[in-house]
Amino acid sequence: MMKTDEKLIIKGKRIDGRKPEDVRKMKMEVGVIPNAEGSALVSFGKTTALASVYGPRPLHPRHLQESDTGLLRYKYDMATFSVDERKRPGPSRREIEISKVSREALEPALFLKKFPRTVVDVFVEILQADGSTRVTAINAASLALADAGVPMRDLVVGLSGGMLDGKIVIDLMGKEDNYCDADIPIAYLPSKKEITLLQMDGRLTPEETKKIVRDVLHASKKVYEKQVEALKKKYSE
Ligand code: ADP
């Protein structure tokens, strides 16, 4: 976490004019890639993620197949042009870690045991990065899985929260992520009331941590509503 002399909250407003508890403007659309079985384009402010899903399909090579369950594969990739200074292509340690925790965040929503010997592939490309990309990616992936018709208990909803200038803020943008005291990305499975991803960068007291988690879960209802709306929109057209 870096330090800055710049105030990131002035008179109760954040640098983009939001109140601490506000989520950025969300855009969500499913079925954007005809060649994929399911797809979704999701943005929170400038952060934009494109997810595509293929499968369930037989897993090759066959020795990787599991006889009692299907597998989920998840690839998170930040496009070279998604940040101001060109990102090196190819998976970094950060992207490999994000791919693993995001796969684990989605698995509890899926009925993979119904599809032994198969694989479901999720590819998420971050087209534009301005903070909270992993949770934006999870929202896109979750919608793309639903769009593909992969049997799911519920959508997984992703949202971040953190502590900035001593205040709890929701949905951190890039600059806030850089200078905040701590940030917590969360993924949540509403129907099971289960947190499926919880990470923390920075330092917080246990009380602060609990309060941020509670506030993020509260604000996540708006994200979930937007997801449902995006899915319904496709099927009402
Ligand atoms: P998340 O995007 O999930 O919050 P991080 O905390 O690792 O994950 O990254 C925070 C933000 O930092 C990203 O959303 C992005 O705006 C920026 N960022 C991450 N990696 C890079 C990079 N290689 N170059 C420039 N900016 C980056």
Side-chain angles (χ1 to χ4, degrees):
M1 297 288 157
M2 292 183 284
K3 287 256 173 253
T4 176
D5 292 334
E6 192 186 335
K7 288 292 262 180
L8 292 177
I9 301 186
I10 301 168
K11 291 186 186 153
K13 292 272 177 74
R14 295 154 75 177
I15 44 176
D16 59 357
R18 274 186 292 161
K19 287 187 280 190
E21 67 274 20
D22 287 347
V23 176
R24 286 174 288 183
K25 185 174 164 50
M26 293 178 273
K27 287 190 198 155
M28 301 193 189
E29 191 182 353
V30 298
V32 292
I33 301 181
N35 279 359
E37 264 141 290
S39 57
L41 185 63
V42 170
S43 60
F44 281 62
K46 288 185 190 154
T47 295
T48 304
L50 175 65
S52 44
V53 166
Y54 303 85
R57 56 188 178 184
L59 174 61
H60 294 288
R62 285 179 58 181
H63 69 85
L64 294 176
Q65 292 181 357
E66 297 282 347
S67 57
D68 58 348
T69 185
L71 298 179
L72 179 67
R73 280 193 298 217
Y74 188 103
K75 184 162 186 252
Y76 164 103
D77 184 67
M78 244 171 79
T80 55
F81 52 81
S82 68
V83 282
D84 291 340
E85 210 157 306
R86 184 176 183 276
K87 185 207 148 267
R88 273 186 63 170
S92 60
R93 274 186 59 178
R94 173 180 174 276
E95 287 163 299
I96 293 165
E97 176 216 309
I98 292 177
S99 297
K100 175 185 182 284
V101 295
S102 305
R103 171 173 57 74
E104 291 168 352
L106 289 162
E107 274 167 347
L110 304 176
F111 295 100
L112 291 168
K113 289 213 163 18
K114 290 195 172 179
F115 304 95
R117 303 181 197 285
T118 68
V119 64
V120 175
D121 275 301
V122 179
F123 298 97
V124 190
E125 191 68 25
I126 302 301
L127 300 176
Q128 200 163 254
D130 185 23
S132 306
T133 61
R134 78 193 65 197
V135 285
T136 306
I138 287 170
N139 288 318
S142 168
L143 279 177
L145 284 161
D147 181 42
V150 176
M152 294 170 87
R153 279 175 221 285
D154 198 356
L155 292 163
V156 175
V157 51
L159 188 62
S160 68
M163 188 66 84
L164 186 67
D165 291 348
K167 284 221 157 49
I168 294 180
V169 291
I170 300 298
D171 181 26
L172 285 91
M173 54 191 287
K175 200 162 182 185
E176 293 176 334
D177 186 291
N178 284 342
Y179 299 116
C180 67
D181 308 321
D183 73 285
I184 305 185
I186 292 177
Y188 184 63
L189 184 56
S191 68
K192 283 183 97 182
K193 292 194 163 54
E194 187 179 318
I195 291 174
T196 61
L197 176 142
L198 180 74
Q199 296 181 289
M200 180 162 82
D201 196 2
R203 288 176 78 99
L204 293 170
T205 65
E207 288 69 34
E208 288 169 335
T209 309
K210 275 187 223 158
K211 179 89 172 62
I212 295 174
V213 171
R214 231 179 285 139
D215 287 4
V216 169
L217 294 185
H218 180 73
S220 75
K221 288 180 193 139
K222 286 192 205 103
V223 181
Y224 184 78
E225 280 166 19
K226 190 85 185 172
Q227 286 179 306
V228 171
E229 188 190 305
L231 272 175
K232 279 191 180 156
K233 187 159 182 279
K234 177 175 172 185
Y235 294 99
S236 63
E237 270 167 2

